[in-house]
Amino acid sequence: MELYGKTLTQLKKLIDAKDVKAEEVRDYFLKRIGAYNGKINAYLTVNKEGEARAGGILGGVPLAVKDNFCTKGMRTTASSKVLDSFIPPYESTVTKRLKKANAFILGKTNMDAWAHGSSTETSDYGPTHNPWDLSRSPGGSSGGSSAAVSAYLAPAGIGSETAGSIRQPASWSGVVGLKPTYGRVPRYGVIAMGSSLDCPGPLTLDVEDAALLLSVIAGKDELDATSSPVAPVPYLEEMKKKKAYTIGISEDYFEGLDPDVASALEKSIEVFKKLGFKTKKIKLLSPQYAISVYTIIQRAEVSSNLARYDGIRYGAGRQAFGQEAKRRIMLGAYTLSYGYYDAFYKKAQKVRTLIINDFKRAFEEVDFIIGTPTPITALKLGEFEKYPFFGELMDKFNEPGAMAGIPAISLPVGLDRNGLPIGMQLMGNYFREADILNASYQFEKETDYFGVIKKGIANYKDLS
Amino acid sequence: MSKKALSKEEILHLSHLAKLHLTDEEIEKYRVQLGETIEYVKNLDELDTKDVAPTNSVVDLKNVTYEDGKESTQSLTREEALSNTKKSKDGEFVVERIMQ
């Protein structure tokens, strides 16, 4: 049975039809990981002994899970030496739901330590290498998961986003990445970075797989008080209804783009027009402000969330924090401290309100806002370290949506002059994941992502 | 040295608040780097927020509670709770003495 390049949904159907055993699919990916992970460093921990069970919603398919989801009995480090030996005694809600649906967790993927970064270079276990060009970063912080999917070391992955950490690595690795509405997918058991921002979501080979995984992990969780009671919709059904939408174009989201990225976006807009979508010029608040709001609020939440790591109950002591974590904790302590709270933290929270109102106004006129998750394609490893604030600038098109908590998707839309993937993003209104998936599905049917995803897989040949 | 840099005293105060021990080299580096970031985020002052309420959370929820009588499903046994610590004694965590 040919498994190479099959999507999650296709593999599930093969297992359901008993054309292949769940264990065979698991072993197929374990073999690929064994052969290719040494170069890419996508996985930190590989699950070689676990049982793959057929049946259920996911039918025994294997998945890559970012290493900030607590998995009971399986080492979980958040790519920090602080948690080098941490074996969670409990399960995150996301992985619990995936396991209940009979997903097999292939392993835990590399990330920026504590999800602090946009390149996986702040990982204490070495960076992940972009499967398209091993001298480059796959993006981050969910770079291990995006690289695993891109090189077909997993048919799909789970990541998490605080501001760009799903969309940006999806873009640089040439895969599909969905960031749901804040509260759509529970955070319970996810090692916290920015608690008012963190959002788990899927990284996949196509839109259908993203819809399938979202349908498994979305929904209220009584263990996460910030998870939403709004009922999830049947994403897979809604996705396939032919609908026409209006796409908003804001000039500020097209500034400072690499010319290849800009022309790929223009081409994508033409595709949507051909599909019968309307476009409309809109004016949004400059993303420059969201960079600052994000920097202040995220650092404040980091300093609070990382305060629990005292090395007493689990993990190593605070001396084990890396440079980036220390820098963020320090800045958070500054903006929250007496005398600076109003000037920084409270001011940022007020501007956050302006950003939210700005999006709400825009979504009265349009269904989506189009842009790119990142103004340039994958950088060489080592570039980020030169500029301590660089990640924030690189994620400037992701931060406004993240601060507002709205959903968005990143889709591959071509390759640049160096043969590196380019991403396009659609942002939508709160809880409008079904519409985002619908528009993306139409785009996929029309373009097949210009062959990007298939080419990514072809870089790592079949071993069976 | 940038004029925007924080003072050494400020860095030491913050590291005390955050319980981080910094090397002299780190203190010097963070003085400059934190100063630069703080300078950058001051662009928010360009926006008038006089009559704007702060956003604490983007989810529109209030007073999320468990139903009465519902039992918690999330508790650890003593063994599980101690399973990741490096120092335990008689089934309890060992912590540093805080009163001398």
Side-chain angles (χ1 to χ4, degrees):
Chain A
M1 179 53 57
E2 163 96 20
L3 301 179
Y4 185 54
K6 294 260 188 304
T7 66
L8 195 74
T9 305
Q10 289 167 340
L11 291 172
K12 171 192 145 45
K13 282 181 184 159
L14 290 177
I15 300 170
D16 281 351
K18 297 199 164 53
D19 287 337
V20 64
K21 289 198 176 102
E23 303 89 76
E24 292 173 64
V25 177
R26 174 200 63 196
D27 293 345
Y28 176 85
F29 285 99
L30 288 175
K31 188 174 173 189
R32 288 184 68 82
I33 293 167
Y36 296 126
N37 193 53
K39 281 189 224 169
I40 298 171
N41 196 27
Y43 288 90
L44 297 178
T45 303
V46 180
N47 181 17
K48 289 181 181 141
E49 271 106 48
E51 188 198 358
R53 290 174 298 136
I57 302 169
L58 294 177
V61 291
L63 279 179
V65 175
K66 188 176 180 180
D67 207 23
N68 59 348
F69 288 83
C70 284
T71 40
K72 191 172 179 177
M74 192 189 293
R75 187 174 83 129
T76 300
T77 67
S79 286
S80 169
K81 291 278 185 197
V82 173
L83 295 179
D84 189 52
S85 59
F86 179 57
I87 311 287
Y90 71 104
E91 191 80 40
S92 77
T93 295
V94 165
T95 50
K96 185 185 276 178
R97 287 177 179 176
L98 291 168
K99 286 179 175 177
K100 200 173 162 220
N102 279 9
F104 174 75
I105 295 178
L106 273 171
K108 306 296 290 292
T109 55
N110 199 11
M111 53 187 280
D112 284 287
W114 308 105
H116 296 171
S118 309
S119 67
T120 73
E121 288 170 285
T122 69
S123 168
D124 286 346
Y125 302 95
T128 297
H129 297 260
N130 191 321
W132 287 80
D133 174 349
L134 297 172
S135 70
R136 294 179 189 270
S137 162
S141 63
S142 310
S145 285
S146 68
V149 176
S150 172
Y152 207 52
L153 306 187
I158 297 294
S160 69
E161 171 156 334
T162 306
S165 278
I166 290 174
R167 287 172 277 172
Q168 186 258 13
S171 171
W172 280 13
S173 302
V175 297
V176 173
L178 176 70
K179 176 233 180 272
T181 308
Y182 177 82
R184 176 69 300 168
V185 179
R187 293 181 295 112
Y188 179 77
V190 183
I191 293 172
M193 168 157 146
S195 299
S196 78
L197 298 152
D198 295 345
C199 262
L203 293 128
T204 58
L205 297 171
D206 71 3
V207 177
E208 188 170 24
D209 285 358
L212 175 65
L213 286 173
L214 181 65
S215 68
V216 172
I217 62 178
K220 174 77 186 162
D221 172 20
E222 64 177 20
L223 302 175
D224 173 5
T226 59
S227 66
S228 174
V230 173
V233 299
Y235 298 107
L236 284 161
E237 285 168 41
E238 290 298 317
M239 178 185 85
K240 290 179 180 169
K241 294 175 182 167
K242 174 81 179 156
K243 291 182 185 176
Y245 296 101
T246 304
I247 292 182
I249 300 170
S250 176
E251 264 179 30
D252 283 321
Y253 284 75
F254 286 77
E255 264 176 26
L257 305 186
D258 175 276
D260 290 356
V261 175
S263 64
L265 285 188
E266 292 304 327
K267 195 169 68 177
S268 303
I269 291 169
E270 290 309 312
V271 170
F272 283 121
K273 282 182 183 165
K274 195 181 158 200
L275 289 166
F277 288 34
K278 292 193 179 75
T279 58
K280 187 169 184 182
K281 287 224 153 109
I282 54 167
K283 176 78 191 139
L284 285 171
L285 200 62
S286 166
Q288 302 300 337
Y289 299 114
I291 298 173
S292 299
V293 174
Y294 172 67
T295 301
I296 293 168
I297 288 178
Q298 178 251 100
R299 302 294 198 272
E301 294 184 7
V302 162
S303 79
S304 164
N305 275 324
L306 296 193
R308 68 179 61 124
Y309 298 98
D310 52 17
I312 294 171
R313 294 152 301 153
Y314 51 82
R318 297 179 77 73
Q319 74 283 353
F321 279 124
Q323 289 298 315
E324 186 61 25
K326 284 190 208 172
R327 194 155 49 214
R328 292 191 185 204
I329 293 168
M330 294 280 286
L331 189 70
Y334 179 88
T335 58
L336 289 174
S337 63
Y338 181 75
Y340 297 109
Y341 179 87
D342 282 356
F344 292 99
Y345 186 71
K346 203 166 175 189
K347 178 77 185 182
Q349 282 189 312
K350 288 181 170 187
V351 178
R352 191 174 190 182
T353 305
L354 296 181
I355 294 168
I356 291 168
N357 293 342
D358 192 43
F359 277 118
K360 283 184 175 165
R361 227 178 358 251
F363 288 124
E364 285 171 12
E365 295 181 64
V366 297
D367 296 297
F368 309 118
I369 297 156
I370 195 168
T372 175
T374 155
I376 55 173
T377 53
L379 282 170
K380 293 265 186 198
L381 289 165
E383 289 290 315
F384 275 86
E385 281 170 33
K386 296 182 192 162
Y387 317 97
F389 199 51
F390 198 53
E392 278 63 35
L393 298 174
M394 281 291 101
D395 271 324
K396 70 173 177 177
F397 299 130
N398 300 323
E399 283 148 4
M403 294 317 302
I406 57 173
I409 200 163
S410 174
L411 304 173
V413 291
L415 300 177
D416 75 351
R417 57 197 170 279
N418 298 317
L420 299 168
I422 299 169
M424 176 262 288
Q425 75 162 318
L426 292 176
M427 293 181 269
N429 208 348
Y430 294 94
F431 300 106
R432 295 278 297 274
E433 285 84 358
D435 291 308
I436 290 175
L437 291 164
N438 185 300
S440 304
Y441 187 68
Q442 293 188 51
F443 186 88
E444 177 184 297
K445 290 285 156 251
E446 184 65 27
T447 63
D448 196 25
Y449 307 118
F450 310 100
V452 173
I453 291 177
K454 289 196 172 75
K455 187 163 192 297
I457 294 171
N459 289 331
Y460 294 85
K461 67 175 174 29
D462 193 22
L463 301 171
S464 60
Chain B
M1 183 68 59
S2 164
K3 270 185 276 178
K4 301 162 189 168
L6 300 185
S7 69
K8 187 179 176 185
E9 289 66 38
E10 283 176 295
I11 294 292
L12 289 174
H13 173 62
L14 293 175
S15 66
H16 173 70
L17 289 175
K19 271 193 168 300
L20 292 172
H21 293 283
L22 304 181
T23 63
D24 287 345
E25 193 190 332
E26 285 172 332
I27 291 169
E28 271 313 301
K29 198 165 66 180
Y30 294 160
R31 283 182 57 201
V32 177
Q33 291 178 345
L34 265 56
E36 283 171 2
T37 306
I38 289 160
E39 207 53 40
Y40 182 92
V41 301
K42 284 181 181 165
N43 71 346
L44 295 184
D45 293 336
E46 294 163 19
L47 298 171
D48 180 9
T49 52
K50 193 157 44 80
D51 300 319
V52 180
T55 293
N56 295 302
S57 168
V58 298
V59 283
D60 199 14
L61 297 171
K62 263 185 197 154
N63 301 339
V64 180
T65 54
Y66 278 104
E67 278 175 47
D68 281 347
K70 202 156 195 177
E71 277 186 38
S72 170
T73 55
Q74 296 306 104
S75 57
L76 300 176
T77 63
R78 182 180 287 251
E79 287 70 30
E80 285 171 330
L82 290 165
S83 62
N84 277 286
T85 188
K86 290 185 181 66
K87 279 193 225 166
S88 69
K89 193 182 170 190
D90 302 333
E92 294 180 13
F93 293 108
V94 175
V95 298
E96 274 178 45
R97 176 188 283 270
I98 51 169
M99 303 232 298
Q100 300 298 329

